[in-house]
Amino acid sequence: NNNLVLKDGNSLNQEVEPYRVLSKAILEDNKLITATPTLTTSSNNTNDASGLYASTATNTGNPTYYFRGNVTNNYVKFAGFIWRIVRINEDGTVRLIMQDGINNNTNYQFNSNYNNYTYMYYTNSNAKTTLENWYQTNIGSKSNLAKNVASGNYCEQAKVKFSSDYTSESANMTVYSSYTPDFKCSTDGNGKGIVNAIIGLLNYDEVVYAGGYCPENNTDYYLYNSSLTWWIMSPNGFKDYPSIWVVYHNGLIGYGGVNSTAVVIRPVINLKDDTQILSGTGANKNPYVIN
């Protein structure tokens, strides 16, 4: 109990509720679904329940808790933007994706260079520079916001491709129809894999776990945004030009050449494991508000 002093000099004993920690609130506010999801089709073509799942298919073997399907209680308000919770990472940090694209849904090329396979990688892209500049302007330059953001591991490993006739130099890629997603990341044959950064993009596997699939429409999962086609970080290989996996405005996972011009960037950040929320339930009209 805290002893509060009133304006008239009297005191009042009152129980003061502490702020909740975001990662704990997610686990408290959701019943964990223990059924195994169907990851060979989009979530709206299965009997999968929408909600919070867990997976130990991670680099450390520690669980990550991820949202799947038509989730309506994973909204967060932070830095003046609305975000969606993707998952609690295995280190306890919380991964968010912005509901919209940066700079009022402006379209950006992933890369203006496209004459060889190296330009299918995020670390060699124009998108990386664009995203980092956006972060610095909107979050990084503001200490009260930046203090909540943790560096995290993003994955640019070349793992999955649309067709067997896409090449990938020395990386070993699997055609999507034979591919089993996971939350693991390692260095591929081209020397690309984990990107440790303060901001990044989702990868193919994270979108499949959330409910997307190639090439099936899904307008009924939380990553769907009817007005946006957006880049993800995963390479799709090289065929005449390098290409990247994207999520289209109808919710399907497809791909586009890195120089495509009708695609937006939805930033992804990780909030620290002790990040507190001032209020909210995670609902669209009552999002978790970061302290």
Side-chain angles (χ1 to χ4, degrees), residues 22 26 52 65-67 71 73-76 83-88 94-97 222-223 282 288:
L22 177 60
I26 294 167
L52 190 68
Y65 299 92
Y66 65 93
F67 282 109
V71 179
N73 66 334
N74 66 339
Y75 289 85
V76 170
W83 306 72
R84 305 300 291 271
I85 300 165
V86 177
R87 61 184 178 120
I88 303 174
V94 179
R95 180 157 297 191
L96 309 180
I97 183 171
Y222 75 90
L223 291 179
Y288 296 122

Side-chain angles (χ1 to χ4, degrees), residues 270-284:
N270 298 292
L271 297 182
K272 293 179 179 178
D273 59 358
D274 59 353
T275 297
Q276 295 178 329
I277 53 176
L278 286 170
S279 61
T281 63
N284 184 14

Side-chain angles (χ1 to χ4, degrees), residues 154-187:
Y154 301 88
C155 189
E156 67 172 348
Q157 179 186 358
K159 300 172 72 175
V160 57
K161 57 186 178 180
F162 178 74
S163 174
S164 59
D165 58 355
Y166 281 73
T167 63
S168 50
E169 199 66 12
S170 298
N172 181 25
M173 300 181 75
T174 303
V175 176
Y176 78 91
S177 55
S178 301
Y179 178 73
T180 302
D182 57 45
F183 291 101
K184 298 177 182 179
C185 190
S186 60
T187 303

Side-chain angles (χ1 to χ4, degrees), residues 77-103:
K77 186 175 182 180
F78 175 64
F81 302 100
I82 296 297
W83 306 72
R84 305 300 291 271
I85 300 165
V86 177
R87 61 184 178 120
I88 303 174
N89 300 308
E90 54 267 37
D91 64 358
T93 58
V94 179
R95 180 157 297 191
L96 309 180
I97 183 171
M98 206 166 82
Q99 176 71 2
D100 294 305
I102 63 172
N103 300 329

Side-chain angles (χ1 to χ4, degrees), residues 187-255:
T187 303
D188 65 25
N190 297 322
K192 298 292 189 178
I194 295 174
V195 179
N196 186 266
I198 202 70
I199 192 167
L201 302 173
L202 290 190
N203 61 44
Y204 179 95
D205 302 71
E206 289 174 316
V207 178
V208 172
Y209 276 104
Y213 196 68
C214 172
E216 295 180 4
N217 294 355
N218 187 354
T219 61
D220 201 28
Y221 72 125
Y222 75 90
L223 291 179
Y224 166 72
N225 188 321
S226 61
S227 62
L228 304 182
T229 294
W230 45 283
W231 297 112
I232 53 182
M233 190 180 282
S234 302
N236 177 53
F238 186 93
K239 183 182 179 183
D240 301 324
Y241 49 81
S243 63
I244 292 288
W245 289 105
V246 300
V247 178
Y248 282 88
H249 61 87
N250 50 12
L252 68 78
I253 305 177
Y255 59 91

